[in-house]
Amino acid sequence: MSDWDAIRYFLEVARTQRASAAAQRLGVRHSTVTRRIRSLELDLGITLFEKSRASGFTLTEEGQRFFAYAEQVESALLAAREALSGAAQGPSGHLRIGSTEGFGSTILTPLMIDFQRRHPGMTLDIMPVPRYISLSKREADIAIALERPQRGPYLCTKLGDYVLQLYGTREYLDRQPPIRHRHDLERHRFIGYVDELLFSDRLRYLDDLAPAANVVFRSTSVLAQYQAALGGQALAILPCFLAAQDTRLAPVLPHDIHVTRSFWMYCHEDLRQTRRVMALWDYLKHAIDLNRELLQGGSRTLRTPAEDWAPSYGTDAPAA
């Protein structure tokens, strides 16, 4: 059987589907990756990948079975390394967190700065992106999404609900026709998502609130929509945790237009035994509980856990 390095190369190629991308992540030459994959296939006596210019490296049926075993080996080694490398000194190592864009930029990033201050042995990659994060390709260790995963070997928990409202600049509202009822919105301009590029149906709230909305500006990015709303030319439905903190924006029909959505956090079930993942898991659960008012528009201040708070390392974390 080949050594661990060969399995590590295999896992990176399987997740990226490109030898060049795997080489970049591993910090080696492209030729080194392809040579190690060929050697592993010869060693096992099977073909792990179908290779083509169009689709890159695609796992064969045998490759898919081997992938499941290889991930178990990877997880066991990571857990063993953490258990034997000074657990009493606190979590250490590297973590990658994928998140929706607005939450990741506005809430997650400052919380991760506080988390890293508490655990200086940790290094973090934060990916606030307007798309789905693939844990099956190991794009991240932990994902925060708008929907609970329907299948997969995942550890999953609901982080909490958040509220969105309709916002416009005070200057826009002063110079445009008054909005006293929902039907008054027919005379106004809106900012929204690019429908065909939506990564979740949970973002289709404008269709429900104003079916005949005159959408004059579209973007895949909620941060771009926020900046467009500040331009004072149209209205936008925005998360309260993003817009309520900006005094240049005012809510429109706040008692009538009120959208609630949820954030879900999940990771691979095999990461339950890794100290660094569970430390972050517990931190985020506790931190979001502290900030429920901010997520629901009742506060403008982000709170961090007390200095004497300590994680339980996911001992009560539910499975998906």
Side-chain angles (χ1 to χ4, degrees), residues 18-67:
R18 292 287 188 276
S20 57
Q24 185 175 14
R25 290 177 65 167
L26 291 164
V28 299
R29 295 172 181 263
H30 172 278
S31 58
T32 302
V33 173
T34 56
R35 185 175 67 251
R36 295 304 293 269
I37 293 299
R38 284 197 302 270
S39 176
L40 180 59
E41 289 181 325
L42 289 172
D43 195 9
L44 294 171
I46 60 175
T47 300
L48 296 169
F49 296 100
E50 297 289 349
K51 309 169 188 69
S52 72
R53 290 183 179 273
S55 57
F57 285 66
T58 304
L59 285 170
T60 62
E61 185 176 345
E62 292 86 355
Q64 291 173 2
R65 290 202 297 268
F66 184 70
F67 181 81

Side-chain angles (χ1 to χ4, degrees), residues 220-252:
T220 58
S221 164
V222 69
L223 296 183
Q225 293 177 37
Y226 164 67
Q227 290 296 330
L230 290 176
Q233 300 300 311
L235 303 172
I237 297 175
L238 299 169
C240 293
F241 63 75
L242 174 62
Q245 300 185 60
D246 196 322
T247 57
R248 294 171 293 179
L249 293 172
V252 178

Side-chain angles (χ1 to χ4, degrees), residues 37-310:
I37 293 299
R38 284 197 302 270
S39 176
L40 180 59
E41 289 181 325
L42 289 172
D43 195 9
L44 294 171
I46 60 175
T47 300
L48 296 169
F49 296 100
E50 297 289 349
K51 309 169 188 69
S52 72
R53 290 183 179 273
S55 57
F57 285 66
T58 304
L59 285 170
T60 62
E61 185 176 345
E62 292 86 355
Q64 291 173 2
R65 290 202 297 268
F66 184 70
F67 181 81
Y69 289 113
E71 281 202 312
Q72 293 177 25
V73 172
E74 179 186 50
S75 298
L77 286 173
L78 289 172
R81 183 173 65 185
E82 287 191 356
L84 298 173
S85 61
Q89 299 177 5
S92 63
H94 183 72
L95 276 180
R96 176 172 286 187
I97 308 100
S99 169
T100 55
E101 185 191 29
F103 179 83
S105 300
T106 308
I107 303 295
L108 182 62
T109 296
L111 287 178
M112 290 302 89
I113 292 172
D114 178 66
F115 177 81
Q116 193 171 50
R117 179 185 60 79
R118 296 164 186 259
H119 305 292
M122 296 288 301
T123 59
L124 302 172
D125 290 347
I126 309 299
M127 301 189 303
V129 293
R131 66 174 179 85
Y132 172 73
I133 296 291
S134 175
L135 291 191
S136 63
K137 294 183 179 180
R138 297 288 182 167
E139 290 184 337
D141 298 296
I142 291 178
I144 298 171
L146 299 177
E147 300 173 70
R148 179 178 183 142
Q150 296 301 307
R151 62 182 64 88
Y154 299 130
L155 189 67
C156 181
T157 189
K158 183 178 178 180
L159 269 184
D161 295 329
Y162 71 101
V163 171
L164 304 97
Q165 291 185 328
L166 184 63
Y167 289 91
T169 61
R170 300 180 188 279
E171 292 77 12
Y172 173 89
L173 295 172
D174 287 343
R175 71 173 186 268
Q176 296 295 331
I179 305 174
R180 298 186 180 92
H181 305 282
R182 216 184 258 212
H183 60 75
D184 294 330
L185 296 175
E186 296 175 2
R187 296 184 290 172
H188 289 264
R189 293 150 56 98
F190 284 84
I191 298 160
Y193 282 99
V194 182
D195 288 343
E196 61 270 27
L197 297 179
L198 282 175
F199 66 92
S200 171
D201 286 338
R202 302 297 289 163
L203 299 174
R204 296 187 184 278
Y205 29 72
L206 187 56
D207 293 342
D208 296 330
L209 297 177
N214 177 25
V215 182
V216 298
F217 185 96
R218 301 177 192 271
S219 175
T220 58
S221 164
V222 69
L223 296 183
Q225 293 177 37
Y226 164 67
Q227 290 296 330
L230 290 176
Q233 300 300 311
L235 303 172
I237 297 175
L238 299 169
C240 293
F241 63 75
L242 174 62
Q245 300 185 60
D246 196 322
T247 57
R248 294 171 293 179
L249 293 172
V252 178
L253 301 177
H255 300 294
D256 186 21
I257 298 179
H258 191 269
V259 180
T260 301
R261 293 292 186 264
S262 302
F263 287 123
W264 294 86
M265 178 170 65
Y266 57 103
C267 69
H268 268 276
E269 172 68 28
D270 57 17
L271 293 179
R272 181 191 285 269
Q273 303 302 321
T274 55
R275 190 176 176 86
R276 71 191 193 287
V277 171
M278 289 297 99
L280 179 57
W281 182 280
D282 286 349
Y283 176 90
L284 284 174
K285 280 287 291 179
H286 182 64
I288 297 307
D289 282 342
L290 289 176
N291 287 286
R292 292 195 181 282
E293 287 190 14
L294 175 63
L295 291 178
Q296 297 177 12
S299 171
R300 295 182 178 180
T301 304
L302 180 69
R303 300 173 60 192
T304 56
E307 288 299 320
D308 60 353
W309 177 84

